[in-house]
Amino acid sequence: MAASMEYESLMELAIWKGDWGLPSVDSSCLIIMTYAKFAGAPLKLLRTNNPIRSPSGYLPFLKHEDKLFTRPKEIVDYLRQQNYGVDFELSSLQSSEVLAYVSLLEQKLTPALVYTRWLDQRNYTELTNPWIRRNSPFPFNFFLPGHCHRRSQFRISNTVGQHMSDVKLLENKIFKDAQVCLNSLSTRLGEAEYFSGEMPAMLDAVVFGYLAPLLKMPLLNKKLQSHLRGCKNLCLFIDKILLRYFPSSPEGKRRLRVVHVGY
């Protein structure tokens, strides 16, 4: 691990805030926060709740000295360059497996997560939209829900929905793919504590980031959430990481300095 940095040189990570027992409600933010926790990287968290201020239009983004990184992979690569890494000793076979599962999650699970939060009518109207309006800074809170909703529609229609005009068939395909993905993850984890063995690594951070919001959000349409809850080992995996790396006690917050920013 790298030596401790002085406060002035801390890496700053802009994120969506947490809720429902989560340190962040956003999967990409959770992935970076969790990887940093695993690696012992000292981060100053800026809970901006405002992707409009991000150079890429998304959260998270990382600032360190005169450098700026806006994509999760770039952020992880930079943390590794600073010697904050947890998977340096993976074999080429293990590294290939990580890439394969990350690809599986992006292709098969991400569309269902986007659909569940942003395109399912009840979840969007009664949960996602009000949450964004309450927690984003004025005046962006009036603009952000619709902006993210339209962006999600475009994302789904230009990927899995590219050749499907029937909304019900599209929904069925999205959730079937996601359920197969969850089953595959559950089988791969088995009775192990982590996907990477005795100590957590990148794949564990990615799986946690994707699944924790799905498990903890108070969804109205619980179709995919109910399937995840049936995968008991995945639920235990999520709860263990929350308890071990993101405890609610003051002692658990000392490593990460939290700053609320309303801009």
Side-chain angles (χ1 to χ4, degrees):
M1 298 296 177
S4 297
M5 295 181 177
E6 294 297 327
Y7 171 73
E8 288 76 16
S9 65
L10 279 179
M11 295 175 282
E12 297 182 345
L13 186 71
I15 61 168
W16 283 101
K17 64 169 282 188
D19 205 346
W20 315 302
L22 298 170
S24 174
V25 300
D26 178 76
S27 288
S28 294
C29 295
L30 278 176
I31 290 170
I32 300 303
M33 293 167 68
T34 306
Y35 186 84
K37 276 283 193 176
F38 291 166
L43 298 179
K44 178 182 176 182
L45 299 181
L46 306 177
R47 298 182 175 183
T48 69
N49 301 328
N50 189 7
I52 301 300
R53 292 293 193 185
S54 167
S56 67
Y58 292 90
L59 295 175
F61 66 88
L62 181 80
K63 293 192 296 183
H64 185 221
E65 298 172 346
D66 60 345
K67 304 178 185 68
L68 178 67
F69 304 94
T70 61
R71 298 184 183 278
K73 185 180 184 305
E74 294 175 347
I75 297 173
V76 170
D77 287 345
Y78 185 71
L79 291 177
R80 289 170 175 159
Q81 290 172 18
Q82 303 304 302
N83 292 323
Y84 292 110
V86 291
D87 42 12
F88 292 127
E89 298 180 2
L90 291 182
S91 68
S92 57
L93 180 61
Q94 290 172 318
S95 297
S96 297
E97 183 188 38
V98 171
L99 293 175
Y101 272 99
V102 169
S103 178
L104 176 70
L105 286 160
E106 290 175 348
Q107 293 179 24
K108 301 299 183 182
L109 187 59
T110 297
L113 299 180
V114 171
Y115 192 96
T116 295
R117 182 177 290 191
W118 293 102
L119 301 184
D120 178 89
Q121 185 173 359
R122 287 195 68 198
N123 288 336
Y124 175 70
T125 302
E126 300 181 42
L127 176 64
T128 307
N129 187 316
W131 192 93
I132 297 292
R133 288 184 180 273
R134 285 195 310 270
N135 291 285
S136 297
F138 177 86
F140 300 101
N141 57 332
F142 292 101
F143 166 75
L144 267 175
H147 170 73
C148 295
H149 179 69
R150 290 187 296 273
R151 189 165 63 182
S152 298
Q153 286 179 317
F154 179 83
R155 181 175 183 177
I156 293 297
S157 64
N158 283 274
T159 53
V160 290
Q162 199 166 21
H163 303 293
M164 300 184 70
S165 57
D166 188 302
V167 175
K168 194 62 181 177
L169 288 177
L170 175 61
E171 181 180 335
N172 289 339
K173 172 179 171 45
I174 287 174
F175 282 108
K176 182 179 179 181
D177 286 349
Q179 289 168 355
V180 171
C181 180
L182 291 175
N183 292 343
S184 177
L185 290 172
S186 180
T187 299
R188 170 64 180 79
L189 180 61
E191 298 182 1
E193 189 167 8
Y194 299 112
F195 286 89
S196 306
E198 295 182 358
M199 297 297 294
M202 185 63 199
L203 181 57
D204 299 284
V206 173
V207 174
F208 175 79
Y210 276 110
L211 299 190
L214 177 61
L215 181 63
K216 300 299 182 179
M217 289 178 68
L219 298 169
L220 285 303
N221 184 342
K222 302 177 184 291
K223 183 176 182 179
L224 189 58
Q225 187 180 69
S226 296
H227 190 89
L228 173 57
R229 287 175 175 169
C231 301
K232 301 300 184 183
N233 61 341
L234 293 179
C235 297
L236 183 61
F237 166 82
I238 293 165
D239 288 335
K240 280 184 176 179
I241 289 180
L242 281 172
L243 183 62
R244 187 168 298 173
Y245 293 96
F246 300 101
S248 57
S249 65
E251 290 77 17
K253 297 178 181 177
R254 287 175 183 166
R255 186 62 174 169
L256 293 179
R257 179 181 176 87
V258 177
V259 177
H260 293 272
V261 179
Y263 63 79

